[in-house]
């Protein structure tokens, strides 16, 4: 039989990594809940149609990266490749438009994309994300971006750059796509074949190409940012001004493209130069048409998602502190008494462990030291020898008095 391993592009989170992730989660939760965000978790799978309609038929995600399956009753389900469409679906389903707006939600969940695995790119990965629904105020755009900058800084993500752009409204974008398509057709011979094939489907993706010929053509291409209508341009200017006033450094990048179709107006991405090819740490933007497109009332929204694996890769190693251990319960013969002591100690809220591997008394004392225990109790029937490993002292006491003595320590 061949060796069983985790599927390609997936990974196990072992205890040491789990504690680093818990640290990321704690920091994010503190900052987001203090800013009025409440946690939401949606199902791991959804109707395939949600992503086809929400993320967009022409995107790489929908075209080739979804894990879709038949639920056995002829209905197609898909492991969620992203969190925005599901959160918008939940907003509509639970009538959240009746709540005071904006409704501010965050999630920390795993997502699934059948991408070619490489460093920083997985088939199951984790995202911290937020969505603020129900307000067009540019201050919401600036707030979400500033929160992300604060979280990344607090987590020690190094060499971070924020790129910012605006896609305007769908009408402006549609007219621009026509012009860009015409420009690309006029330069078709210089374009990479993959770009050529996508001129009709998604001409904006040409800005994403690494191909030198394509890049040269794109340097002279018309820019959407130069064509925003007055309202969209004013919205973008307001977002920039708020970010400037709050000291959130950013660069304008008119060529910024993201792989999801729902964006309107503000668009942004945080990259870290500490990462290799997959330098995107977090990305997001406004999606003022998405909820309506999913069958809900017209409702604006904005949000972002940050990749947990990329945050950890781009942040300085944080050695996870081993959890504190108050008490190690040792014994030679009085196993049941030791077990009762362990249970009492835990019930009193102490961090306690006991010998479970048949070590000699000497071996048990060594193990207690290895675990960094503060006290060792050697249980001998109804009496206990209590060693304070920090002070190097020892006292004998009735077993019944032990837990009170430790709780008071
Ligand atoms: P996204 O840019 O597709 O946006 O993903 C956001 C982040 O998730 C990326 O910047 C990256 O850190 C991480 N990520 C994406 N794919 C992978 C992968 N295969 N392996 C590891 N990490 C990955 C979204 O998903 C949008 N829903 C963000 C959003 C929220 N926009 C508005 N609201």
């Amino acid at each position: 039989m061949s060796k069983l391993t985790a599927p390609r592009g997936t990974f196990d989170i072992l205890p040491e990594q789990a504690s680093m992730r818990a640290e990321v989660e704690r920091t994010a939760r503190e900052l987001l809940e203090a800013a009025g965000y409440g946690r939401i978790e949606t199902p791991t799978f959804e109707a395939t149609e949600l992503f086809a309609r929400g993320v967009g038929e022409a995107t790489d995600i929908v075209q080739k990266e979804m894990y879709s399956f038949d639920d056995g009753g002829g209905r197609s389900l898909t492991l969620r490749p992203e969190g925005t469409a599901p959160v918008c679906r939940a907003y509509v389903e639970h009538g959240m438009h009746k709540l005071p707006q904006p409704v501010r939600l965050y999630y920390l969940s795993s997502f699934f994309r059948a991408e070619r695995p490489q460093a920083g790119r997985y088939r199951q990965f984790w995202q911290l994300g937020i969505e603020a629904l129900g307000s067009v105020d540019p201050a919401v755009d600036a707030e979400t971006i500033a929160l992300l900058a604060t979280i990344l800084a607090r987590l020690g993500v190094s060499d971070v750059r924020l790129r910012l752009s605006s896609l305007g409204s769908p009408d402006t974008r549609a007219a621009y796509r026509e012009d860009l398509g015409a420009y690309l057709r006029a330069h078709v011979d210089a374009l990479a074949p993959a770009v050529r094939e996508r001129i009709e489907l998604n001409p904006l993706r040409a800005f994403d190409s690494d191909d030198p010929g394509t890049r040269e053509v794109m340097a002279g291409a018309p820019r959407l940012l130069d064509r925003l209508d007055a309202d969209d341009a004013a919205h973008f200017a307001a977002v920039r001004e708020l970010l400037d006033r709050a000291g959130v450094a950013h660069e304008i990048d008119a060529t910024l493209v993201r792989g999801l179709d729902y964006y309107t107006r503000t668009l942004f991405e945080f990259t870290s130069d500490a990462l290799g090819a997959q330098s995107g740490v977090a990305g997001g933007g406004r999606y003022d048409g998405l909820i309506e497109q999913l069958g809900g009332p017209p409702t604006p929204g904005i949000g972002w998602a940050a990749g947990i694996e990329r945050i950890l890769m781009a942040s300085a190693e944080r050695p996870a502190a081993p959890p504190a251990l108050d008490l190690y319960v040792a014994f030679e013969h009085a196993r049941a008494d030791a077990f009762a002591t362990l249970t009492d100690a835990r019930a009193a809220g102490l961090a306690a462990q006991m010998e479970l591997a048949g070590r000699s008394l000497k071996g048990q004392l060594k193990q207690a030291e290895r675990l960094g225990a503060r006290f060792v109790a050697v249980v001998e029937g109804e009496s206990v020898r209590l060693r304070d490993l920090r002070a190097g002292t020892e006292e004998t006491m009735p077993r019944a008095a032990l837990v009170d003595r430790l709780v008071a320590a």
Side-chain angles (χ1 to χ4, degrees):
M1 200 170 86
S2 63
K3 229 188 192 166
L4 285 172
T5 57
R8 195 164 129 77
T10 71
F11 50 85
D12 299 309
I13 299 169
L14 301 176
E16 197 178 314
Q17 294 132 15
S19 59
M20 284 189 341
R21 285 165 180 261
E23 193 59 31
V24 172
E25 177 169 353
R26 193 180 56 77
T27 303
R29 188 179 58 229
E30 271 174 25
L31 287 165
L32 291 174
E33 290 184 354
Y37 283 78
R39 183 149 184 170
I40 182 166
E41 288 298 338
T42 58
T44 303
F45 51 84
E46 299 267 359
T48 300
E49 191 194 344
L50 173 66
F51 302 111
R53 273 212 268 161
V55 174
E57 295 278 7
T59 60
D60 280 353
I61 293 180
V62 171
Q63 294 233 317
K64 50 186 187 199
E65 295 172 0
M66 296 208 297
Y67 286 103
S68 300
F69 54 97
D70 188 297
D71 71 351
R75 189 170 159 75
S76 178
L77 298 175
T78 292
L79 296 182
R80 58 184 171 195
E82 65 99 50
T84 308
V87 168
C88 289
R89 194 258 316 131
Y91 177 92
V92 176
E93 188 168 333
H94 301 286
M96 291 191 224
H97 61 277
K98 293 186 211 115
L99 300 173
Q101 309 290 303
V103 171
R104 288 183 286 193
L105 302 165
Y106 79 96
Y107 47 88
L108 202 166
S109 338
S110 62
F111 296 89
F112 306 84
R113 294 184 195 174
E115 296 193 81
R116 199 168 49 77
Q118 64 181 77
R121 190 161 76 192
Y122 306 98
R123 290 181 170 173
Q124 179 178 6
F125 56 96
W126 294 74
Q127 282 184 350
L128 167 72
I130 76 173
E131 313 294 346
L133 305 159
S135 169
V136 288
D137 191 331
V140 182
D141 306 46
E143 176 190 72
T144 55
I145 295 169
L147 269 171
L148 178 53
T150 303
I151 290 172
L152 295 178
R154 184 77 70 85
L155 291 172
V157 178
S158 52
D159 304 323
V160 172
R161 287 197 300 149
L162 165 59
R163 291 183 300 149
L164 189 67
S165 189
S166 174
L167 290 177
S169 50
D171 286 350
T172 315
R173 198 166 151 195
Y176 169 74
R177 272 174 65 127
E178 292 292 314
D179 293 353
L180 181 63
Y183 175 83
L184 291 174
R185 280 190 293 274
H187 295 83
V188 73
D189 294 340
L191 298 175
V195 175
R196 242 179 267 166
E197 280 164 24
R198 302 186 126 251
I199 293 180
E200 305 309 322
L201 198 60
N202 198 349
L204 278 142
R205 290 304 294 270
F207 284 111
D208 246 0
S209 173
D210 295 332
D211 170 66
T214 306
R215 291 185 76 102
E216 209 166 296
V217 173
M218 297 322 287
R223 300 282 160 95
L224 177 53
L225 209 47
D226 301 328
R227 303 183 170 206
L228 299 183
D229 70 24
D231 281 353
D232 293 340
H235 190 274
F236 189 49
V239 174
R240 294 185 54 194
E241 200 208 330
L242 289 167
L243 290 176
D244 283 337
R245 291 288 291 274
V248 179
H250 59 272
E251 321 160 14
I252 304 304
D253 183 351
T255 69
L256 183 60
V257 186
R258 302 202 6 84
L260 303 124
D261 270 358
Y262 46 61
Y263 292 120
T264 54
R265 291 190 162 177
T266 312
L267 190 73
F268 55 93
E269 200 155 78
F270 282 77
T271 54
S272 167
D273 294 336
L275 296 173
Q278 300 301 312
S279 64
V281 175
R286 193 165 262 292
Y287 44 87
D288 291 345
L290 178 57
I291 290 185
E292 190 175 11
Q293 205 172 307
L294 296 177
T299 311
I302 176 161
W304 50 254
I308 298 295
E309 292 74 35
R310 296 193 193 169
I311 287 178
L312 290 171
M313 284 168 75
S315 60
E317 282 290 314
R318 275 173 309 247
L325 186 64
D326 301 315
L327 175 67
Y328 190 87
V329 184
F331 64 91
E332 220 159 2
H333 307 293
R335 184 161 178 266
D337 291 324
F339 188 77
T341 306
L342 171 79
T343 307
D344 288 350
R346 285 184 179 162
L350 295 168
Q353 291 189 31
M354 78 176 263
E355 176 54 28
L356 293 173
R359 291 181 183 84
S360 67
L361 193 54
K362 203 166 141 209
Q364 294 181 49
L365 297 178
K366 255 207 204 118
Q367 173 68 358
E369 266 171 42
R370 220 178 282 135
L371 292 171
R374 170 80 202 277
F375 293 98
V376 181
V378 183
V379 175
E380 294 158 340
E382 290 313 312
S383 130
V384 164
R385 275 190 293 131
L386 180 65
R387 277 195 197 181
D388 183 333
L389 292 188
R390 207 180 296 161
T393 55
E394 183 172 305
E395 56 189 298
T396 302
M397 65 181 67
R399 196 168 66 79
L402 175 72
V403 168
D404 283 347
R405 159 79 179 77
L406 290 179
V407 168

